[in-house]
Amino acid sequence: MAGILFIISAPSGSGKSTLVSELRKQVSGVEFAISWTTRPPRGSEENGREYNFTSREEFQRMLDTNVFLEHAEVFGNFYGTARKSLEEARSAGHDLLLDIDVQGASQVRARMPEAVSIFVMPPNPRVLRTRLRNRSRAEGVVNEEEVYRRLNEASKEIENYREYGYILVNDILDRAVAQLEAIVLAERYYRNGEVIAYRSRRVLEVAAACLQFNSQERLKPVLEAFGILGSTGQQQLDFGEDSDREDPAQDGEDPNDD
Ligand code: ADP
Ligand code: 5GP
């Protein structure tokens, strides 16, 4: 059975790594490509687990020898996916998940248009700032400059959402995990005829609701909050109160809610 290539992208701090790690606990048979990066390890990250950490010189050497399927510079560091990850998953017939930025996703889509692409959005800029800060704090230090750099980049990345087949808004974690799981199971069902073991109809409905072309109403408030739809300029994003707490009561409800 042919493996499916999944691409997942999101502005930094949206919760993509959290979602992917939850997905891997719940769905078997999805391999995760460990990227190469020139950025230093963060917090509890380990070489060979979250990333293969390397020097700029070594990364350049790998680029020159055509090691990478795709690569990009993100926040001043280089990141790349080795071709080998794809070749190994293909020969084993496994699904492969690439956690890559919007530039890398566009390179992969151009070569492999059959890839299933998923874009994860934070519900609004205030929540994104809180998540970036809380993650920094958990790693030992809050670097405000880095938090604002990533926040400013978020709107530009979100502008690319139309390039993706599925869109998740990571507001309530359990719901976003269930949606990601539904997308994987639905694609396996449609492409490989794989049986969905439980609540199959519901799973297909949840996945269909996440298709980009079914998501316009659901995305409207998110796009407006990031200044992509409507009159809010990107320079005047509403970060709300300067608080480090996510307050769901202020985030608005998702119309696709159960
Ligand atoms: P990314 O991989 O997109 O950069 P992370 O997965 O590291 O983001 O998440 C950023 C921070 O937000 C982490 O501290 C994580 O625990 C937290 N987080 C992720 N998803 C949620 C959610 N739905 N609700 C609240 N906090 C979340
Ligand atoms: P972080 O440094 O926060 O782990 O990742 C920063 C950004 O780099 C994220 O958007 C992440 O998806 C992206 N990224 C991670 N690995 C790769 C990769 O191999 N290729 C590309 N193009 N982007 C990557």
Side-chain angles (χ1 to χ4, degrees):
M1 198 179 285
I4 303 171
L5 180 61
F6 293 96
I7 302 172
I8 186 162
S9 303
S12 179
S14 307
K16 180 182 44 165
S17 312
T18 309
L19 289 175
V20 168
S21 109
E22 289 302 312
L23 175 78
R24 292 175 78 200
K25 284 184 211 156
Q26 295 184 24
V27 179
S28 59
V30 183
E31 290 199 5
F32 177 74
I34 300 173
S35 298
W36 292 80
T37 183
T38 61
R39 87 149 161 77
R42 212 162 46 198
S44 60
E45 287 178 339
E46 276 178 28
N47 192 26
R49 192 177 62 188
E50 287 83 5
Y51 283 104
N52 296 305
F53 296 98
T54 191
S55 63
R56 282 183 172 249
E57 294 70 28
E58 179 61 9
F59 193 94
Q60 186 60 50
R61 196 191 60 74
M62 294 170 84
L63 255 186
D64 295 342
T65 50
N66 207 19
V67 164
F68 295 120
L69 171 69
E70 62 73 37
H71 74 281
E73 186 178 351
V74 187
F75 304 122
N77 295 302
F78 291 97
Y79 295 81
T81 309
R83 289 177 193 282
K84 211 168 134 209
S85 304
L86 183 65
E87 286 157 11
E88 286 174 357
R90 272 195 173 152
S91 60
H94 290 161
D95 295 343
L96 182 68
L97 182 69
L98 306 183
D99 167 347
I100 57 179
D101 85 316
V102 293
Q103 307 167 73
S106 137
Q107 294 170 37
V108 174
R109 258 193 311 263
R111 282 175 206 166
M112 276 155 286
E114 74 282 6
V116 176
S117 59
I118 303 159
F119 192 85
V120 179
M121 294 191 190
N124 58 53
R126 185 177 53 77
V127 165
L128 181 59
R129 181 183 61 184
T130 303
R131 287 187 189 163
L132 283 167
R133 276 193 182 154
N134 289 347
R135 184 175 69 187
S136 281
R137 187 165 296 126
E139 287 160 1
V141 60
V142 179
N143 180 341
E144 283 294 338
E145 203 181 311
E146 189 58 32
V147 166
Y148 275 90
R149 188 166 173 208
R150 287 175 185 245
L151 275 174
N152 284 329
E153 213 41 48
S155 300
K156 287 185 219 150
E157 291 175 41
I158 293 174
E159 277 174 8
N160 294 283
Y161 81 95
R162 286 190 194 80
E163 310 299 322
Y164 290 74
Y166 289 98
I167 314 287
L168 296 185
V169 178
N170 180 19
D171 189 348
I172 296 162
L173 184 63
D174 288 352
R175 183 172 60 196
V177 171
Q179 289 171 335
L180 182 56
E181 188 181 350
I183 292 168
V184 171
L185 297 180
E187 288 293 335
R188 285 179 176 176
Y189 170 78
Y190 289 122
R191 291 177 186 227
N192 297 336
E194 198 170 294
V195 174
I196 299 171
Y198 60 94
R199 297 174 73 220
S200 52
R201 199 116 149 249
R202 179 71 188 132
V203 167
L204 295 180
E205 282 168 8
V206 169
C210 296
L211 282 165
Q212 192 228 120
F213 59 78
N214 288 334
S215 300
Q216 291 310 315
E217 277 309 305
R218 184 169 56 103
L219 297 185
K220 210 166 160 236
V222 183
L223 297 174
E224 282 174 353
F226 280 96
I228 293 164
L229 275 186
S231 56
T232 320
Q234 278 190 20
Q235 303 311 314
Q236 313 134 32
L237 293 186
D238 178 12
F239 293 121
E241 295 284 304
D242 199 4
S243 145
D244 286 344
R245 207 172 61 86
E246 278 190 26
D247 185 356
Q250 290 180 30
D251 291 339
E253 278 303 305
D254 184 330
N256 276 355
D257 218 354
D258 279 336

